[in-house]
Amino acid sequence: MALNGIDVSSWQSGIDPAGMPADFIIAKATQGTGYVSPACAPQVDGALAAGRMAGVYHYIDGSGAQAEARYFVDQVRGWLHRVVLAVDWESGSNGAWGDVGYLDAVVAEIIRLTGVKPLVYASASVYGQIAQVGQTHDCGLWVTQYASMGSTGYQDSPWNEGAYGCAMRQYSSNGRLPGYDGPLDLDKFYGSREDWLAYAASDGSQQPPAPSVTVPIPPSVDISGGDSYTVQPGDTLSEIAERYGTSWQHLAQINNIADANRIFPGQVLRIDSAAPASQTSRGSYTVQPGDTLSAIAAQFGTTVGALASANDIANPDLIYPDQAIIVSGRPNGGGDNVYTVKSGDTLSAIAQALGTSVDHLAQTNGISDPDLIYPGQAINY
């Protein structure tokens, strides 16, 4: 048994939940400790009124684990035990990215405040991170991985289905469904309506155990005759390769890794720097399996925001093998100086301190909403 649905945010503020062919609709509710999606209430209330199942999610930004959890719960309290809760763990605008302990703390606080175990959403490239948290708190996982950016309707068997244990799968951000004239995130929930309501704890009780999540045991590798590295939570093969001055392809080859997107905490990798790291050609870089935009930014001495702006990337967590990324120069004439956002900063205050304008900083750094900047974010000026 499986259900088809969509997840939405303020980008789909005009959507009519009653007119959508969806079993469930999950809406972005909050981000950090200061943002509430103005579209959330109409989307959730509309879904419930239309007899759809509903959910709400919080986008983690690293502004304080317990504070984020409390902010989220306070905003969605009126829907508790009627809708599924979820947390969104991505690298973009997230000062805590890579810190699994932070993610764990957010989830633990939500459970303490509500008695409800949230789904944990992240890219398949960091499956090991969310699997660790899922095992600790008995939470279901919501994994995103796309075969391509081509438009599609609902799929019975999404690409790479079954490669990892999860409660739900997001398999497209370019879904096309009757009732809405625009791209949609498409999701498949592995369960029934009753299972969905159990995740929501619709009767106010603690939820039943989530689907079993097992991190695969990697094959043994002969590491004699060279250095070794033990994979840590949040690692990617491309980041490890960059650290040791080699390429992800070479590490995959010498470690018998069939899928470069699947390495696991505790896995021991043989390190041999004989092969050079991937190089640019004419100011561009071709994305390899396992790459992240943050790793590419670090490799070329720039920022995620700069690369996203220069390449019109709406979601920094969604890049694809063989995608060409412009890496030469600074986007929109940005300078060589970087300011790191601190807690309490505003873009207008930063602009005044640096002797520039809010519009210039927003354009240079690909900031669509000048009121939303985050501690740890790098601002080019």
Side-chain angles (χ1 to χ4, degrees):
M1 178 68 183
L3 304 173
N4 294 315
I6 58 176
D7 62 273
V8 295
S9 66
S10 60
W11 291 106
Q12 293 83 28
S13 58
I15 200 167
D16 175 18
M20 296 306 302
D23 297 318
F24 60 86
I25 295 175
I26 305 180
K28 179 177 181 178
T30 52
Q31 181 166 332
T33 56
Y35 174 79
V36 178
S37 170
C40 181
Q43 290 165 343
V44 174
D45 289 339
L48 293 173
R52 307 283 194 273
M53 290 168 290
V56 289
Y57 72 87
H58 172 77
Y59 190 104
I60 293 173
D61 77 354
S63 53
Q66 283 74 27
E68 287 198 62
R70 289 194 294 270
Y71 187 74
F72 173 50
V73 172
D74 285 346
Q75 300 301 323
V76 303
R77 193 174 296 280
W79 295 308
L80 284 181
H81 310 305
R82 294 192 294 150
V83 304
V84 166
L85 305 184
V87 294
D88 186 342
W89 181 242
E90 301 182 37
S91 63
S93 301
N94 180 3
W97 178 247
D99 182 355
V100 180
Y102 187 97
L103 173 61
D104 186 275
V106 173
V107 171
E109 183 68 0
I110 290 173
I111 295 172
R112 187 187 73 81
L113 292 170
T114 67
V116 178
K117 301 171 185 175
L119 296 178
V120 184
Y121 170 99
S123 166
S125 63
V126 292
Y127 180 84
Q129 290 186 24
I130 60 172
Q132 179 178 334
V133 174
Q135 287 175 319
T136 299
H137 298 287
D138 198 23
C139 293
L141 306 183
W142 178 10
V143 180
T144 177
Q145 188 177 42
Y146 305 161
S148 73
M149 284 300 292
S151 61
T152 180
Y154 288 131
Q155 297 178 13
D156 291 332
S157 300
W159 175 73
N160 213 23
E161 185 175 40
Y164 31 71
C166 61
M168 187 155 62
R169 168 75 187 278
Q170 183 193 90
Y171 54 86
S172 176
S173 64
N174 195 17
R176 302 288 172 163
L177 298 176
Y180 184 74
D181 186 19
L184 293 164
D185 291 344
L186 301 185
D187 300 276
K188 181 178 181 180
F189 176 73
Y190 298 99
S192 64
R193 181 182 180 88
E194 290 70 28
D195 294 325
W196 181 277
L197 295 176
Y199 274 106
S202 57
D203 61 355
S205 65
Q206 187 71 355
Q207 295 163 278
S212 175
V213 176
T214 303
V215 177
I217 299 174
S220 59
V221 176
D222 179 8
I223 61 171
S224 60
D227 293 331
S228 65
Y229 175 78
T230 301
V231 177
Q232 304 300 312
D235 279 344
T236 66
L237 200 61
S238 59
E239 290 169 332
I240 296 170
E242 178 191 349
R243 198 175 307 159
Y244 286 92
T246 184
S247 69
W248 70 265
Q249 296 97 327
H250 183 68
L251 291 184
Q253 180 181 16
I254 66 174
N255 288 280
N256 303 319
I257 297 174
D259 183 351
N261 286 307
R262 301 189 70 206
I263 59 174
F264 311 99
Q267 183 175 355
V268 179
L269 300 180
R270 176 187 171 194
I271 302 297
D272 177 354
S273 59
S278 300
Q279 301 295 318
T280 59
S281 175
R282 298 182 181 178
S284 68
Y285 174 83
T286 301
V287 176
Q288 307 298 323
D291 276 348
T292 63
L293 203 61
S294 59
I296 296 171
Q299 182 175 344
F300 293 101
T302 184
T303 67
V304 170
L307 291 183
S309 176
N311 293 275
D312 295 323
I313 297 173
N315 185 344
D317 286 315
L318 295 178
I319 59 175
Y320 310 95
D322 298 325
Q323 180 178 353
I325 301 290
I326 298 171
V327 296
S328 60
R330 297 280 182 176
N332 302 316
D336 292 329
N337 297 318
V338 176
Y339 174 84
T340 301
V341 177
K342 299 178 179 60
S343 180
D345 276 346
T346 64
L347 201 61
S348 59
I350 295 170
Q352 183 177 3
L354 298 176
T356 185
S357 68
V358 170
D359 288 344
H360 174 74
L361 293 182
Q363 182 181 20
T364 300
N365 293 277
I367 299 172
S368 58
D369 185 348
D371 291 324
L372 287 177
I373 58 174
Y374 311 96
Q377 182 176 355
I379 302 290
N380 287 307
Y381 65 96

